[in-house]
Amino acid sequence: MLRKLVVSAALAVAAIASMTGGAAAQDTIKIGVVQSLTGQLTAVGKQVMAGIKLYQEQHGTTVAGKKIELIVKDDTTVPDVARRLAQELIVNDKVNILTTGITPASFAIAPLATQAKIPAVIMVSGTSSATERSPYMVRVSFTLGQQTGIMGDWAFKNGSKKVVAVQSDWAPGAEATAVFTEHFTKAGGQVVETLKVPLANPDFSPFLQRARDASPDTLFVFIPAGQAGLFVKQFIDRGLDKAGIKLIGPGDVTDDDDLPNMGDGVLGTVTAGFYSAYHQSPTNKAYVAAFKKLNGFRPNFISLGGYDGMHVIYEALKKTSGNTDGDALINAMKGLKWESPRGPTSIDPETRDIVHNVYIRKVEKRDGELYNVEFATFDAVKDPIKAAKKQ
Ligand code: PHB
């Protein structure tokens, strides 16, 4: 009888332990990292993971006395896969925190974060509404509107009057063009045509031909990281630079990852971006040097989502003394301020969105390499779409 009791008590304890992840789990904080490591946007996943890796190399894998365990999953650039992997990470691995990547994957994971009440740190998505899809989402990447609204104002002031817009045909592309168009037309300019290029395996040539036929003075372009090299090659092959058409856009089109191999045809391209590998701060110089040493390539704007995303997670855990309660962590993330390699950065406590500087940059050669050289700064820029909704 007594033996039976002891056995069943032991079983009960084991059952509870397995339900809560066990006592050992209390000393380990699990972070489920769902990113696009293969598929259409592999170039994005590569930079995020490189940023995460550098952060952990510099800051270790113990925070607030707890071991940080990363469980990395490849969403293959397919949102349904991202959803399934996040579900498995929550149910089977019992992760305490998730990180998400591109927009469709972030949208797919948002309802799961809400259900499980665990923070989901958006490391890539640039679509405004991603943070509105769950109160547990915090963005450390960027929004396209932050950059393209500023680009619209700047372009008109600096002589552009007639624009053709070329956008990659998905949510961030639609937002990039919409915010640009709003600002540019309000300033007095005209967007005569908006051309939508498929996201998968794009061939820009026919779109560039159509754009050229409309004889704009300026081409506004949003394409995602990883497609810039091909885009600029086709822009030059089609002779748009020789035709005197200016190329402008958010920072994606002169992505630091592709820029070194773009050739001199891209010189003089002006973009509005939140990060340049050439940003002249001691923090960024140290970041670029350490990043290149560890990963063997130049960091681009996407890498910051990984690097700063880990910073936000580590700082929040320090503030909660390792408590992984979802609400406590989200509260700890709200209002965080830090010096990122991109510049001064914070999390807006009201919207859980990133606030950072946006720089106007021009492609120039420095030390024999192509860089985005910043020449004007807009301080502490919030997502304009959310700001407009508030009014
Ligand atoms: C996004 O997923 O929203 C995204 C990805 C890559 C970019 C920009 C936006 O370059």
Side-chain angles (χ1 to χ4, degrees):
M1 176 70 187
L2 187 64
R3 236 181 98 163
K4 235 177 161 179
L5 262 181
V6 170
V7 170
S8 62
L11 281 176
V13 168
I16 289 165
S18 81
M19 259 155 51
T20 59
Q26 313 255 301
D27 301 321
T28 302
I29 292 168
K30 291 186 183 177
I31 305 176
V33 178
V34 184
Q35 299 294 337
S36 301
L37 308 181
T38 60
Q40 194 59 47
L41 292 176
T42 305
V44 169
K46 175 190 92 170
Q47 286 275 347
V48 180
M49 293 314 299
I52 292 176
K53 190 171 150 196
L54 176 60
Y55 192 86
Q56 288 209 304
E57 162 150 313
Q58 291 176 336
H59 298 88
T61 51
T62 305
V63 185
K66 314 250 172 160
K67 185 93 192 123
I68 302 292
E69 183 191 341
L70 293 192
I71 308 178
V72 179
K73 301 282 178 185
D74 174 14
D75 69 26
T76 67
T77 322
V78 176
D80 284 344
V81 175
R83 184 187 296 111
R84 176 175 56 75
L85 293 172
Q87 181 88 39
E88 285 170 11
L89 285 165
I90 293 167
V91 175
N92 301 343
D93 297 299
K94 303 190 169 46
V95 294
N96 306 102
I97 298 167
L98 280 167
T99 83
T100 75
I102 60 170
T103 291
S106 297
F107 283 0
I109 290 172
L112 302 177
T114 306
Q115 240 174 28
K117 296 190 194 311
I118 64 172
V121 175
I122 303 168
M123 291 182 158
V124 181
S125 173
T127 304
S128 176
S129 67
T131 45
E132 293 165 338
R133 298 212 167 201
S134 167
Y136 291 92
M137 295 194 101
V138 171
R139 178 175 359 239
V140 288
S141 46
F142 54 90
T143 73
L144 268 316
Q146 281 175 321
Q147 302 161 80
T148 62
I150 286 171
M151 191 77 259
D153 296 334
W154 189 91
F156 185 77
K157 269 196 206 127
N158 288 275
S160 297
K161 298 288 175 290
K162 183 178 171 187
V163 162
V164 169
V166 175
Q167 78 183 51
S168 170
D169 192 12
W170 58 320
E175 267 186 28
T177 308
V179 179
F180 172 82
T181 302
E182 195 191 319
H183 281 248
F184 187 66
T185 53
K186 207 167 160 192
Q190 210 191 349
V191 177
V192 291
E193 218 175 334
T194 297
L195 304 173
K196 297 177 185 171
V197 186
L199 174 65
N201 308 311
D203 175 9
F204 302 107
S205 293
F207 298 93
L208 288 169
Q209 190 56 51
R210 264 180 68 188
R212 194 182 165 163
D213 293 346
S215 333
D217 52 51
T218 305
L219 194 70
F220 167 84
V221 179
F222 166 73
I223 39 119
Q227 296 186 356
L230 176 67
F231 178 85
V232 169
K233 183 183 178 306
Q234 295 188 335
F235 180 85
I236 293 165
D237 285 352
R238 287 268 150 179
L240 274 83
D241 58 332
K242 298 277 182 328
I245 299 171
K246 281 185 263 181
L247 174 61
I248 61 168
D252 315 52
V253 73
T254 54
D255 175 355
D256 269 297
D257 206 353
D258 283 349
L259 192 55
N261 301 315
M262 281 187 192
D264 288 356
V266 75
L267 278 167
T269 301
V270 173
T271 52
F274 69 91
Y275 179 68
S276 165
Y278 201 71
H279 181 61
Q280 294 295 300
S281 70
T283 303
N284 187 50
K285 285 182 180 171
Y287 177 68
V288 173
F291 188 102
K292 278 188 182 164
K293 188 163 172 239
L294 183 67
N295 298 304
F297 48 89
R298 199 195 270 189
N300 74 357
F301 64 101
I302 298 281
S303 73
L304 273 305
Y307 189 77
D308 287 338
M310 292 309 290
H311 175 77
V312 162
I313 291 170
Y314 276 34
E315 289 306 303
L317 285 168
K318 283 184 203 165
K319 274 171 79 176
T320 65
S321 307
N323 177 2
T324 53
D325 174 70
D327 292 290
L329 281 175
I330 288 292
N331 280 332
M333 289 176 187
K334 287 179 182 173
L336 276 178
K337 281 189 172 57
W338 71 103
E339 175 69 21
S340 158
R342 64 183 106 181
T345 300
S346 65
I347 301 295
D348 185 337
E350 275 178 56
T351 61
R352 291 166 276 106
D353 218 328
I354 189 96
V355 181
H356 53 202
N357 293 351
V358 171
Y359 309 88
I360 311 278
R361 317 93 51 84
K362 186 187 260 177
V363 177
E364 291 178 17
K365 236 179 207 165
R366 290 286 192 273
D367 312 320
E369 280 186 56
L370 294 170
Y371 279 106
N372 293 294
V373 178
E374 297 162 350
F375 62 89
T377 304
F378 293 77
D379 290 322
V381 179
K382 290 192 179 191
D383 172 43
I385 294 180
K386 289 197 188 74
K389 277 186 198 161
K390 234 178 94 176
Q391 280 167 8

